[in-house]
Amino acid sequence: MPPTCDIFCAVVDNYGDAGVCWRLASQLAHEHGWQVRLWIDDPQPLYRLAPDMAKGPIEVRHWDAPWPAVDPAEVVIEAFACDPPAEYVAAMARAEHQPVWINLEYLSAESWVASCHGQASPHPRLPLVKHFLFPGFDAATGGLLREVDYEARRAAFNESAFRAEFGLPPRQVDELTISMFAYPHAPLPDLLTALATSERPVSILLPGGVQRTSSNGAVNQFPLPFLPQRRYDEILWACDLNFVRGEDSFVRAQWAAKPFVWHIYPQEDDAHRVKLDAFLDRHPAGNVLRPFWHAWNGWRRLDWQAFAASLPDQEVAAKTWRETLSGLPNLAAALVQFSGERLK
Ligand code: TRH
């Protein structure tokens, strides 16, 4: 029998916390047949990410006070060290069979991740053990989330139909199509200024934005609706260059295997710069990408011309990188295996 599973998600901001939890919950439920309950303290992002969530099979519950008396699941996943309620943890300790307790960590390309993946930490007072699972970019980590039907969906994708559905004009000869998903502090105005004099016609697709269709020089901007998470990949497939941010869209851009630019989630004391560089150190085009990515994250001046000239090389590197990632564990499958070994 597939196990029952409770996932706890505390929404810090934006869409990433809910997005990662929803993607994992979906894989566990659809691909592994797990009975998943998702406890989320702010369901708002899910209404946009998964507007049809009421259809199931994931049971979405509002994580709110007072905590209801529920039996703990066999596998308990807390996302990003969000600490399940004390009453729930006490019930885990009383359970006849100790649940498998997993803390799913944030994604980082830093080298220390591999040595921390899978580590166990006994509870200071209760007869419980928490295990730390790390997504990551090498075989000694939990790898990355990717649905089993990803390649089939991609093969069935029809770019012209996608453009027509969202009222975008047919692709022009030599058009550079860009998707834009970045934090508000990105130097987008500088990029737009540089693009305005581009020799190639440029279309910028802005999912979830409030902007209106506009044009300036070579650039046309098109607002798109915020697509359900399962369709976000289509935007990436439809574009030649994807600007992404945070954690989940960053991973999707890598599966899409197109040139991309990462607006990393900012942390205190520039801690995110170390993370960004750790990723670039692994990527086959890391040194080519570094100046523009640093500029996009605010550490130097933007040089679009140099970056644009390297797009053909980036296209090759993006495919090589996708092949490397395809050899990594699938995070959902790794989690299923890890739990299975401990549920025996
Ligand atoms: O939204 P993000 O910036 O989220 C986060 C949070 O800020 C979080 O606190 C932080 O810890 C984390 O980043 C690193 O970026 P992210 O992770 O890319 O999440 C966006 C989600 O929204 C992702 O699942 C893709 C989805 N999405 C859609 O489903 N449709 C859309 O149209 C768009 C633009 C995004």
Side-chain angles (χ1 to χ4, degrees), residues 223-299:
L224 289 191
F226 190 94
L227 294 189
Q229 187 183 60
R230 209 170 150 70
R231 295 201 65 189
Y232 175 62
D233 291 321
E234 296 176 31
I235 303 178
L236 305 174
W237 298 333
C239 290
D240 309 301
L241 171 63
N242 293 303
F243 285 74
V244 291
R245 71 185 204 192
E247 178 165 325
D248 191 60
S249 57
F250 165 60
V251 172
R252 302 318 279 185
Q254 293 169 67
W255 290 131
K258 301 280 187 86
F260 75 108
V261 180
W262 185 23
H263 205 199
I264 189 170
Y265 186 77
Q267 289 176 290
E268 269 178 33
D269 300 327
D270 258 1
H272 54 297
R273 186 167 177 158
V274 176
K275 288 189 181 169
L276 184 121
D277 279 329
F279 178 78
L280 288 171
D281 289 345
R282 289 179 187 268
H283 194 281
N287 287 334
V288 175
L289 301 176
R290 201 177 309 266
F292 193 82
W293 283 31
H294 275 200
W296 191 244
N297 284 281
W299 300 311

Side-chain angles (χ1 to χ4, degrees), residues 137 255 282 284 317-329:
F137 296 97
W255 290 131
R282 289 179 187 268
K319 292 192 172 68
T320 310
W321 182 238
R322 192 238 337 250
E323 291 316 307
T324 304
L325 300 187
S326 299
L328 296 181

Side-chain angles (χ1 to χ4, degrees), residues 11-33:
V11 174
V12 178
D13 54 11
N14 306 324
Y15 298 101
D17 309 290
V20 169
C21 290
W22 184 257
R23 194 178 291 289
L24 173 65
S26 301
Q27 268 191 257
L28 294 175
H30 292 292
E31 298 176 15
H32 300 279

Side-chain angles (χ1 to χ4, degrees), residues 55-194:
K55 289 189 192 147
I58 298 155
E59 183 186 343
V60 178
R61 299 284 297 265
H62 191 189
W63 173 4
D64 203 1
W67 181 254
V70 292
D71 288 334
E74 292 163 272
V75 180
V76 179
I77 302 170
E78 60 169 291
F80 315 128
C82 68
D83 274 335
E87 301 94 312
Y88 184 88
V89 175
M92 284 166 71
R94 290 193 302 270
E96 191 181 338
H97 298 286
Q98 193 185 102
V100 179
W101 186 359
I102 290 169
N103 175 27
L104 177 67
E105 285 288 348
Y106 285 110
L107 173 64
S108 171
E110 292 163 284
S111 56
W112 57 262
V113 165
S115 60
C116 295
H117 173 64
Q119 294 246 333
S121 162
H123 193 279
R125 288 178 296 102
L126 300 169
L128 292 170
V129 178
K130 194 192 286 197
H131 303 272
F132 293 83
L133 253 59
F134 283 79
F137 296 97
D138 63 55
T141 68
L144 301 171
L145 292 173
R146 187 173 75 158
E147 295 74 23
V148 284
D149 66 353
Y150 179 85
E151 289 300 346
R153 283 195 301 122
R154 184 175 186 153
F157 174 67
N158 180 326
E159 185 188 305
S160 311
F162 176 87
R163 291 183 74 114
E165 179 181 350
F166 294 103
L168 305 170
R171 220 182 227 276
Q172 301 173 65
V173 177
D174 204 28
E175 175 178 318
L176 178 67
T177 314
I178 296 176
S179 79
M180 181 57 63
F181 185 45
Y183 297 112
H185 62 276
L188 182 58
D190 296 348
L191 178 64
L192 292 175
T193 303

Side-chain angles (χ1 to χ4, degrees), residues 294-314:
H294 275 200
W296 191 244
N297 284 281
W299 300 311
R300 56 185 285 166
R301 214 173 54 82
L302 208 71
D303 182 350
W304 167 253
Q305 304 305 338
F307 185 74
S310 70
L311 281 173
D313 289 344
Q314 290 185 46

